[in-house]
Amino acid sequence: MRFGIVTLFPEMFGLVSKFGVVGRACDRGLLRLHLSNPRDFARDRHRTVDDRSYGGGPGMVMKPGPVVSALDALRQDLPGAQVIYLSPQGRKLDQEVVAGFAGQGELILLAGRYEGVDQRVLDHYVDQELSIGDFVLSGGELAAMVVVDAVARLIPGVLGDEQSARADSFSESLLDYPHFTRPAEFQGALVPQVLLDGDHAAVARWRRKQSLGRTELRRPDLLARCSLTETDRQLLAEYRREREAGRQE
Ligand code: SAM
């Protein structure tokens, strides 16, 4: 998977390309980041990339010329890539969007700064605007890193154990089940016995029940979108009974 990223702060992307799972994916050539800085394409002595907003008001706007040149430079390496502008005004990022991107092979992410990018660039060069939530960041870089990280997890070979992406929250419109590791007792709190008994079918059943129950408790909107089997309904009923009896969360 190859990402082109238009950013005034390319150094920030060391945070994803040098650490953890995504860092290893970059080292192994499974993931490649192509960075393009509009400032490198600014024509004037001061390498200006922003200017005042027509019509007045506070805040600066990213000039169209340098941004388009930075995009064009990326296009040479990524000719078929969709261009995504990270923006609080875009469609909200979710696992479905992430999975769609992972299937595309290449993508260009445009990170804004200041009050954003000149509207004409968005109208003529951007395929989709994407938000990471209903809040305003000071730049699109962190949002772009969120996209890179989430997409990278779905690229075959990036995660050591393919199962772990499949079991993650949202992979099936359900939240993940709780995880425990050693020691079996920590500050008096015990790991559920079923996880220690070595009965794989019982573990799978328990995990499914937890996923269903947690999703109902925390994200009923997600559960409403799931098609549940008869067994799922029984597990959910069991979860509710156990919770009422004080044996769950
Ligand atoms: N004036 C803009 C608005 O209200 O829509 C916000 C500009 S914001 C200060 C600067 C940049 O941060 C944006 O151009 C965008 O790239 C990025 N950004 C801010 N919030 C974001 C969010 N929730 N999701 C994705 N990108 C965001």
Side-chain angles (χ1 to χ4, degrees):
M1 176 95 199
R2 297 192 301 161
F3 281 100
I5 296 161
V6 175
T7 169
L8 291 174
F9 298 105
E11 300 80 9
M12 285 179 73
F13 287 84
L15 272 179
V16 280
S17 65
K18 295 203 176 96
F19 297 97
V21 164
V22 183
R24 281 197 298 281
C26 290
D27 289 345
R28 292 161 60 208
L30 296 169
L31 185 72
R32 192 111 137 259
L33 304 188
H34 303 248
L35 299 162
S36 187
N37 187 344
R39 205 172 290 286
D40 295 338
F41 300 93
R43 296 265 163 82
D44 64 315
R45 209 155 50 92
H46 302 291
R47 299 170 77 200
T48 309
V49 290
D50 60 311
D51 207 338
R52 282 172 299 184
S53 187
Y54 272 122
M60 304 296 274
V61 179
M62 284 179 81
K63 288 165 70 64
V67 172
V68 168
S69 300
L71 276 171
D72 285 344
L74 286 176
R75 279 244 169 268
Q76 291 175 7
D77 287 328
L78 308 165
Q82 260 202 71
V83 178
I84 309 295
Y85 173 50
L86 283 315
S87 157
Q89 300 182 29
R91 170 179 175 179
K92 199 100 62 81
L93 182 69
D94 60 20
Q95 194 66 14
E96 192 186 334
V97 174
V98 168
F101 288 162
Q104 291 190 19
E106 52 186 41
L107 207 62
I108 293 177
L109 303 175
L110 168 57
R113 281 273 154 180
Y114 313 108
E115 289 306 321
V117 178
D118 186 290
Q119 184 61 41
R120 291 163 293 183
V121 176
L122 308 184
D123 290 343
H124 299 293
Y125 290 87
V126 166
D127 297 299
Q128 197 184 144
E129 296 192 23
L130 199 68
S131 166
I132 62 160
D134 290 342
F135 43 82
V136 178
L137 300 164
S138 40
E141 284 77 10
L142 289 173
M145 284 186 237
V146 167
V147 174
V148 170
D149 189 294
V151 172
R153 296 175 59 77
L154 300 186
I155 300 168
V158 166
L159 292 185
D161 177 358
E162 293 302 315
Q163 287 296 339
S164 69
R166 256 181 265 145
D168 272 346
S169 294
F170 309 115
S171 62
E172 213 199 328
S173 271
L174 287 180
L175 301 182
D176 198 5
Y177 49 79
H179 296 268
F180 298 88
T181 187
R182 282 181 286 188
E185 181 184 342
F186 178 68
Q187 296 182 350
L190 301 174
V191 170
Q193 187 58 41
V194 63
L195 301 178
L196 307 175
D197 290 344
D199 178 342
H200 297 301
V203 169
R205 190 176 184 283
W206 181 87
R207 286 179 167 169
R208 182 79 185 169
K209 180 168 63 176
Q210 298 302 316
S211 271
L212 290 160
R214 276 196 163 192
T215 310
E216 184 178 59
L217 275 183
R218 299 177 184 196
R219 293 291 306 274
D221 57 311
L222 288 180
L223 196 68
R225 284 194 249 144
C226 275
S227 42
L228 301 183
T229 63
E230 193 42 45
T231 311
D232 287 337
R233 288 181 205 290
Q234 285 165 11
L235 288 173
L236 208 43
E238 209 174 285
Y239 183 93
R240 288 186 204 121
R241 280 197 302 276
E242 289 174 0
R243 193 174 145 76
E244 271 167 31
R247 274 187 279 149
Q248 302 277 9
E249 306 201 34

